[in-house]
Each structure stands twice: as structure tokens, then as C-alpha cells.
């Protein structure tokens, strides 16, 4: 039975169109600014104003790469040797990136709405992206979300999400199609205002000539 599982796993891998995509390591261009921040976990629904204002939330301390850092690398899209193996190959990189952009735009819109409704703040990544790339989006620049604390919705597909939500000690986890909290980078663990907070992971992927 174990041998059968291994064989089936190999078969699925050989038919996966995404195995034809090769992404190199990304190397920094020039100096990259970093910072130590508090990663604060907040509920998406404001059920307790007192708790929200006092900032009694779960947090961790971590190092981040600050905004406007630039990294470069390569993306290669290989063609399958046979159409019989990969039934629906990715035709070209532009098509892939436009589809990816559309996915992350929806993720961005939902988070933007949460920030506005819950904290009455504009999305800082959106303000910066529009300032720098508004005329390039879906042409040579594509929205992506990467790294720790990107959120479960950013790494799962709608209609196939099974997100585990912890309910506390001695309680079974809930399995939902959405997350109930999200993470914010802040300069202190207890948030008495939400003016200097920012979600994690948003980046712009720009295609450049070699």
C-alpha cells in the first residue's frame, strides 16, 4: 500500500503544470532596510470594543524587510515534452502572472475592507503601490503576497479552503472556509491606535528585460 501511494504521488507530480515553473532565489539590489516589529494578531470582526482598544492581543516579535526594498531573480517557464503528460500546460508567463494578479487583487480588496471597517484606516500597501505602479499593473507589474503571516486566504483557493481555527484549551478546532483573524506589523504590542500598522507580505512583481 505504501508503494502504491508513492507511485500515485509521482504520477500526480508528473501531471502538475506548475512543475514546469522554476523560480530562482531572489537577491537584494542595493541596501535593504530592516526593522524589528511586533506582529499583532487581531480579530476580523469587532466583537469587543474594550478588548480592541486596549490591544490585549496575541503578538510575537520579528524582523521584517521594510517597504520599497528591491530584490531580483529569474522565472523560467519550461514547455512539457509531451502534451499527453500535462493535459493543461501553462501557455505563457504573462497568462500565469495575470491570473495570479487577479487572485491577489481579490485578497487585497477583502483585507482593505477589513482595515477600513474595523480600524478606519486605508491600506498602506495599496497607497504605495498606486503611487509607484498604477500605470503598470497587469502589464509589467503584478500583485503578489509572500512570506510569513500572509494569511490563509493568500495561500489557498476559494472553494477548496479548510482553515483550522483554534478555539482554546480542551476545545476542538473549527474547520472553516475563511480565517477569523489576521496579523499586523506594529511598533508596539498594545495598540491604542491603528495609524502606524501594516499587514504583512504584500509585494509587486515587475518583469524586466534581461
Amino acid at each position: 500500500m505504501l508503494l502504491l501511494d508513492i507511485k500515485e504521488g509521482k504520477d500526480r507530480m508528473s501531471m502538475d503544470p506548475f512543475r514546469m515553473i522554476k523560480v530562482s532565489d531572489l537577491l537584494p539590489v542595493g541596501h535593504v532596510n530592516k526593522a524589528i516589529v511586533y506582529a499583532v494578531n487581531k480579530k476580523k470582526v469587532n466583537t469587543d470594543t474594550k478588548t480592541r482598544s486596549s490591544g490585549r492581543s496575541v503578538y510575537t516579535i520579528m524582523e521584517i524587510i521594510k517597504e520599497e526594498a528591491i530584490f531580483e531573480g529569474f522565472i523560467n517557464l519550461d514547455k512539457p515534452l509531451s502534451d499527453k503528460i500535462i493535459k493543461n500546460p501553462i501557455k505563457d508567463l504573462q497568462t500565469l502572472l495575470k491570473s495570479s494578479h487577479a487572485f491577489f487583487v481579490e485578497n487585497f480588496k477583502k483585507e482593505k475592507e477589513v482595515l477600513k471597517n474595523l480600524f478606519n484606516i486605508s491600506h498602506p500597501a495599496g497607497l504605495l503601490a498606486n503611487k509607484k505602479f498604477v500605470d503598470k499593473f497587469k502589464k509589467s507589474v503584478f500583485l503578489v503576497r509572500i512570506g510569513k503571516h500572509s494569511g490563509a486566504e493568500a495561500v489557498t483557493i476559494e472553494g477548496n479552503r479548510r482553515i483550522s481555527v483554534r478555539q482554546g484549551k480542551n476545545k476542538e478546532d473549527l474547520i472553516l472556509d475563511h480565517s477569523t483573524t489576521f496579523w499586523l506589523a506594529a511598533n508596539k504590542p498594545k495598540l491604542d491606535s491603528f495609524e502606524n500598522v501594516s499587514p504583512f507580505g504584500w509585494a509587486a512583481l515587475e518583469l524586466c528585460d534581461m
Side-chain angles (χ1 to χ4, degrees):
M1 186 63 181
L2 180 60
L3 292 176
L4 180 61
D5 287 343
I6 293 174
K7 181 178 182 300
E8 287 179 348
K10 288 182 178 179
D11 289 342
R12 286 195 295 270
M13 179 63 70
S14 66
M15 294 184 292
D16 189 343
F18 289 98
R19 77 180 182 86
M20 308 308 295
I21 302 170
K22 308 293 191 301
V23 181
S24 74
D25 291 335
L26 300 181
L27 302 177
V29 177
H31 179 70
V32 174
N33 290 322
K34 300 177 183 178
I36 303 297
V37 300
Y38 294 94
V40 182
N41 190 249
K42 303 296 293 183
K43 290 184 180 295
K44 288 185 176 181
V45 178
N46 183 16
T47 55
D48 186 344
T49 304
K50 183 178 179 181
T51 299
R52 180 188 142 206
S53 61
S54 64
R56 293 179 298 187
S57 302
V58 176
Y59 70 88
T60 59
I61 300 174
M62 60 191 302
E63 183 180 48
I64 62 164
I65 296 170
K66 296 190 70 175
E67 64 274 8
E68 300 194 58
I70 300 175
F71 290 76
E72 65 178 7
F74 297 92
I75 301 177
N76 291 322
L77 179 59
D78 297 335
K79 292 184 178 180
L81 297 176
S82 171
D83 292 339
K84 295 180 181 179
I85 298 176
I86 297 179
K87 302 297 183 182
N88 296 299
I90 299 168
K91 300 297 184 182
D92 57 80
L93 189 58
Q94 196 79 6
T95 299
L96 172 65
L97 293 178
K98 284 183 178 180
S99 298
S100 174
H101 180 84
F103 172 82
F104 285 114
V105 163
E106 288 303 311
N107 185 229
F108 175 83
K109 287 179 179 178
K110 291 177 181 178
E111 186 173 79
K112 179 182 177 181
E113 185 178 354
V114 170
L115 289 176
K116 186 64 177 177
N117 292 341
L118 202 57
F119 309 131
N120 195 30
I121 59 174
S122 298
H123 201 299
L127 296 174
L128 181 60
N130 283 328
K131 180 180 177 181
K132 297 180 71 69
F133 303 118
V134 64
D135 296 326
K136 295 183 178 181
F137 274 129
K138 294 195 292 184
K139 298 173 184 176
S140 61
V141 175
F142 305 89
L143 190 66
V144 294
R145 196 171 197 184
I146 56 178
K148 188 176 178 65
H149 296 330
S150 316
E153 282 90 350
V155 294
T156 54
I157 300 173
E158 189 171 356
N160 294 278
R161 292 188 174 113
R162 289 178 54 81
I163 299 171
S164 179
V165 179
R166 294 181 180 178
Q167 295 298 294
K169 189 176 181 180
N170 300 324
K171 294 182 180 179
E172 290 189 8
D173 293 352
L174 285 178
I175 304 299
L176 304 175
D177 62 356
H178 63 279
S179 61
T180 58
T181 65
F182 68 120
W183 292 88
L184 294 168
N187 55 12
K188 51 188 175 181
K190 293 185 178 182
L191 302 181
D192 48 19
S193 74
F194 296 93
E195 295 179 357
N196 298 310
V197 298
S198 178
F200 287 92
W202 289 107
L205 175 63
E206 183 171 14
L207 294 183
C208 302
D209 294 331
M210 293 180 60

